Amino acid sequence: MHRGARTLLHNGLRNELATLCSEALWQPAREVRPFRLQPTARMDLTLRGYSRTLTCVDVALTSPLQCRSVALAARTPGGASTSYESVKVNRYGTACADMGYVLVPFVGDMLGAWGASAQELLSRLVRAWGLRMQLPAFRASAVVHTRLSLAVQRGVAAVLLQAASPLLPQALNSPASNGEEMEEPTAEVGEAAGAGVWAMAQASPPAVTLAR
């Protein structure tokens, strides 16, 4: 998946997570550079209401359909996401520790499973958001997970449209009925389409949920 597609998915999830954290009074800030010794290093979110010190959240989405991730995802729900957390820890763990910050790699996969660190944050977010909105825990959990799921679905839809748009004029001018062979879809379109099918299946009432 090319960089523009990754950015669409990433930013949609990050922005919805920031909104939920704001509603829970966790004082999120986006695109922050909190490290004195690494002034160019940037965190997706910082939170001031999650722990006693500044919490740095780095958001990522991975695909469990990648060759290196299939076995991990099959062995444990969220296995691919939890494995990818190590990338974030290796990149920012030392810098956060030096500053006394808490690092939370917020990693999910495109088929709906969250990594261990993301699950812990979501569990606490559901409680804080539910108290703020005066909702019972089961309802707060449904709303929080639905909103995050829809953010990923919107990103997947944008990726599909972006990847397919150059092919639309050709498809309109070259109907399959003319006997010509149609081009095979790219791997990027196939991956996004697979995530889109899963997302649509999850969209049936009463709620969409990314957590498993």
Side-chain angles (χ1 to χ4, degrees):
M1 189 176 294
H2 62 74
R3 185 174 180 83
R6 290 198 303 268
T7 300
L8 284 170
L9 286 163
H10 170 276
N11 288 356
L13 178 58
R14 179 206 61 197
N15 292 345
E16 191 60 43
L17 178 62
T19 301
L20 287 164
C21 289
S22 178
E23 293 169 358
L25 302 182
W26 281 1
Q27 303 177 52
R30 306 180 197 183
E31 302 294 327
V32 178
R33 293 182 171 86
F35 309 120
R36 289 196 300 268
L37 299 181
Q38 298 183 31
T40 60
R42 183 169 55 190
M43 302 305 303
D44 292 316
L45 295 175
T46 58
L47 306 174
R48 294 191 176 277
Y50 180 75
S51 63
R52 294 183 178 180
T53 186
L54 188 72
T55 300
C56 297
V57 181
D58 200 57
V59 176
L61 278 169
T62 187
S63 172
L65 304 180
Q66 299 177 85
C67 292
R68 64 176 181 272
S69 302
V70 170
L72 293 168
R75 189 178 304 122
T76 307
S81 301
T82 299
S83 176
Y84 192 75
E85 290 178 2
S86 62
V87 175
K88 302 300 184 179
V89 173
N90 291 338
R91 185 176 300 171
Y92 300 115
T94 300
C96 284
D98 289 344
M99 297 292 294
Y101 299 155
V102 174
L103 174 64
V104 178
F106 192 87
V107 184
D109 72 38
M110 293 175 66
L111 297 186
W114 298 109
S117 296
Q119 289 181 42
E120 182 179 352
L121 186 147
L122 282 173
S123 178
R124 295 175 60 179
L125 177 59
V126 164
R127 290 196 297 270
W129 189 89
L131 287 173
R132 174 68 174 163
M133 300 298 167
Q134 299 183 348
L135 292 174
F138 75 92
R139 179 58 180 162
S141 179
V143 173
V144 168
H145 286 98
T146 294
R147 287 174 57 176
L148 292 173
S149 180
L150 289 174
V152 176
Q153 289 180 45
R154 285 192 294 268
V156 169
V159 170
L160 287 169
L161 289 173
Q162 185 183 76
S165 58
L167 303 177
L168 290 179
Q170 301 175 30
L172 292 173
N173 295 326
S174 304
S177 58
N178 63 11
E180 297 179 6
E181 293 186 1
M182 297 181 66
E183 293 185 7
E184 291 291 328
T186 65
E188 177 180 304
V189 174
E191 181 178 294
V197 169
W198 175 88
M200 287 186 288
Q202 297 297 308
S204 57
V208 183
T209 178
L210 271 173
R212 291 180 178 174

